[in-house]
Amino acid sequence: MNEMKAILNLITLILIVGGRVPGLTAQEDPCLNRTIEVNVITDDFRLVKGLDSSHFEGKFHGKPIDITSAEYDTGSRRVVILLDSSGSMGVPDDHWRPGVTMAADIVSSAPPQTSFALLRFNDTTTKQADFTDQRMTLTSRLNDIWHWNGSDFKGKTAIMDAILDGIATLGQLHVGDTIFLITDGGDNKSKISDKVFMRTLLASGVRIFVFYLASDFKSRGRTPEEAVGPETLRSIVEFTGGDLSVFPPSRGLFPSLTSDFELEMEAENPKLIPMVAQLFVHEFSEIYLLRIKFTEPVDKPGKLDLQVVYHDGKKNHHLRVIYPHRLAPCS
């Protein structure tokens, strides 16, 4: 029965995202044109405004692309908060609370045109609050979970299934749709295959942001899923153009990420979580919409390289560009 439900959910999700290329108008050819969502951030974690298409330079499959426009967009946003409630989140005691605090800070500081849904997941996904609910309802749900005991966290971790449930919750997809995932480990329960998951995720255009709760592996055995979990999450974040932060800061977990609060701040700093929450809110809310024209049809998934350049064409090394590193083919 569970397998049949997963198959039906997947079919529904594919119907939702099938053929969708975010930001295209009806007149544009999705095989030659694409709109991507981009953040540009300074060394001290401030968003950069005022750039135009001449400040961006990119390649797809190693071939130059034509960036025809760059629009700074601050429209309404929808964010699905996915909170891991599997057994590992309850060990050690209080392990989950920084993640719940982070979610509450994001909800409280987001602009009024941002709406939220809250899902918690382990083996399965359970909706706690929908986009139509008031923020006080969402805050109340988070407060309840903050006061849980470690024994309230049970089951395994189906991250990929939960992300697809989050996309399905969004329904008809819009520019700026985001999933904010709070978790401490790797996937050890999802029914969907890695390949189908990634194809569906990239087709959706939804960005994935992650708040990773680093486990004290000395207090409990490190499972194979936990060992590969950080690298898998890094790929999901980079491929979709999201961002990631680790708590407590750990330099060794995500060495391939170029910049993050984990490299700049100490866990004891009481401002750490509010500052990361504020950065994520800005990244959710304010994005560049870059319209790209390709030299040949996008007929297979491919790597996108994007950078900000000075007017003389030299790369600006003081800026971090957050963008989808992998693009889905046109349908």
Side-chain angles (χ1 to χ4, degrees), residues 14-306:
I14 291 174
L15 289 175
I16 291 173
V17 306
R20 176 186 183 270
V21 181
L24 287 178
T25 66
Q27 291 76 27
E28 292 178 321
D29 181 354
C31 289
L32 291 176
N33 299 274
R34 194 70 58 94
T35 298
I36 62 170
E37 301 164 14
V38 177
N39 295 121
V40 182
I41 302 176
T42 64
D43 288 337
D44 56 351
F45 305 104
R46 291 180 293 110
L47 265 64
V48 177
K49 305 178 182 180
L51 303 179
D52 58 38
S53 59
S54 67
H55 292 101
F56 294 92
E57 185 178 274
K59 294 181 178 180
F60 183 68
H61 284 313
K63 297 181 179 180
I65 55 176
D66 182 14
I67 300 172
T68 59
S69 67
E71 173 191 354
Y72 200 73
D73 185 89
T74 58
S76 61
R77 301 286 183 254
R78 296 184 301 168
V79 179
V80 177
I81 299 173
L82 281 183
L83 178 61
D84 187 346
S85 61
S86 64
S88 63
M89 288 285 284
V91 181
D93 200 26
D94 294 342
H95 179 47
W96 69 95
R97 286 183 175 144
V100 176
T101 300
M102 175 72 169
D105 283 351
I106 284 177
V107 171
S108 65
S109 60
Q113 65 268 30
T114 303
S115 58
F116 293 91
L118 172 64
L119 310 179
R120 63 176 178 85
F121 70 96
N122 44 30
D123 308 71
T124 58
T125 305
T126 305
K127 184 178 292 185
Q128 302 291 293
D130 206 348
F131 296 115
T132 58
D133 290 321
Q134 298 290 327
R135 289 196 184 182
M136 65 177 62
T137 300
L138 179 60
T139 301
S140 176
R141 298 285 190 276
L142 289 169
N143 184 63
D144 290 343
I145 297 172
W146 195 92
H147 285 93
W148 279 10
N149 296 314
S151 59
D152 292 317
F153 292 85
K154 301 174 182 178
K156 294 190 175 182
T157 313
I159 292 177
M160 293 188 297
D161 287 351
I163 288 175
L164 295 190
D165 288 337
I167 296 174
T169 298
L170 288 162
Q172 183 64 45
L173 297 170
H174 304 143
V175 168
D177 282 344
T178 299
I179 287 177
F180 173 49
L181 169 66
I182 302 165
T183 187
D184 73 333
D187 195 313
N188 59 10
K189 191 60 179 179
S190 287
K191 301 177 182 66
I192 194 168
S193 70
D194 293 357
K195 184 176 181 179
V196 175
F197 165 75
M198 191 57 69
R199 183 172 70 242
T200 308
L201 176 60
L202 293 179
S204 75
V206 173
R207 298 197 297 169
I208 309 297
F209 286 69
V210 174
F211 189 64
Y212 185 86
L213 294 168
S215 301
D216 180 5
F217 295 117
K218 293 180 180 179
S219 67
R220 59 184 176 88
R222 188 175 188 180
T223 68
E225 292 81 12
E226 288 170 332
V228 301
E231 183 63 21
T232 300
L233 291 173
R234 182 201 65 81
S235 296
I236 290 173
V237 167
E238 286 194 342
F239 285 178
T240 64
D243 204 355
L244 177 147
S245 188
V246 179
F247 187 88
S250 173
R251 295 177 181 270
L253 275 176
F254 297 90
S256 56
L257 288 180
T258 57
S259 175
D260 203 89
F261 276 95
E262 62 171 328
L263 303 181
E264 303 294 334
M265 306 183 73
E266 299 298 330
E268 292 76 15
N269 188 333
K271 296 182 179 180
L272 172 61
I273 291 179
M275 289 181 68
V276 178
Q278 191 63 52
L279 174 63
F280 276 16
V281 165
H282 286 317
E283 291 175 350
F284 298 163
S285 306
E286 305 180 33
I287 56 178
Y288 283 99
L289 299 178
L290 264 59
R291 292 190 178 273
I292 296 173
K293 187 174 182 61
F294 300 96
T295 57
E296 57 187 37
V298 180
D299 56 3
K300 60 182 178 180
K303 180 183 178 183
L304 177 67
D305 295 298
L306 187 69

Side-chain angles (χ1 to χ4, degrees), residues 1 6 99:
M1 181 64 69

